[in-house]
Amino acid sequence: MLTHENDSSSLAEIRVEGDNSILLVDDDKPFVTRLARAFEQRGFDVRTAESVSDGTGAIRAAPPAYAVVDMRLGTGNGLDVIEALRQARPDARVVVLTGYGNIATAVNAVKLGAIDYLAKPADADEVIAALMRDPNIKAEPPENPMSADRIRWEHIQRVYEMCDRNVSETARRLSMHRRTLQRILAKRAPR
């Protein structure tokens, strides 16, 4: 349950009541440290993890009520953390963060139980707003349409996800050289 101190609607004033446990999983240490501090100031009981194995271990130890999970974690994938949390605690509210935002992984994250998907760099207020948003209220659609480069990139990402993130199979289906595909996948999404 949320309360607003002094009846202010400012996100900086939000305090959480009840189970306030949150797990922040991100391999960007400065970012996760800032985010942890912001959540602690708002009354959350914060734990952090920097890898898939650390995140799933923290979930096994004590499944949190909330989680913020980066999509790309070194050699792992944040979807694995979301799946582990969903199995351990189906009512947990999860927000996915990524610098490599795409529709295919957003759809997979939502299917696994994430309530929102935010592109990095997201500030603490955006993350908290996504975590606390009433499930009946839809997020605002983006104002700017995607560019042709972005649509191409989205299609590649969708096929990559359909192939269970197998680069060789994705390259075969797209009639693309595997090394070319690897270079595309390593880059950030075009605007």
Side-chain angles (χ1 to χ4, degrees), residues 20-40 44-62 64 66-70 73 81 97:
N20 62 351
S21 59
I22 187 165
L23 176 63
L24 307 177
V25 186
D26 198 313
D27 55 0
D28 181 349
K29 185 105 173 131
F31 175 75
V32 80
T33 301
R34 283 191 312 273
L35 200 57
R37 195 172 22 247
F39 274 96
E40 286 170 349
F44 285 88
D45 177 19
V46 179
R47 288 180 295 146
T48 62
E50 295 182 21
S51 68
V52 171
S53 60
D54 291 347
T56 55
I59 290 166
R60 279 191 302 276
Y66 303 95
V68 178
V69 181
D70 188 14
L73 297 166
V81 176
L97 296 178

Side-chain angles (χ1 to χ4, degrees), residues 138-159:
K138 301 270 190 244
E140 291 291 317
E143 292 181 21
N144 301 326
M146 288 190 279
S147 68
D149 288 338
R150 178 63 186 241
I151 292 169
R152 175 181 178 263
W153 192 84
E154 293 286 348
H155 174 67
I156 290 169
Q157 292 293 322
R158 186 174 57 251
V159 173

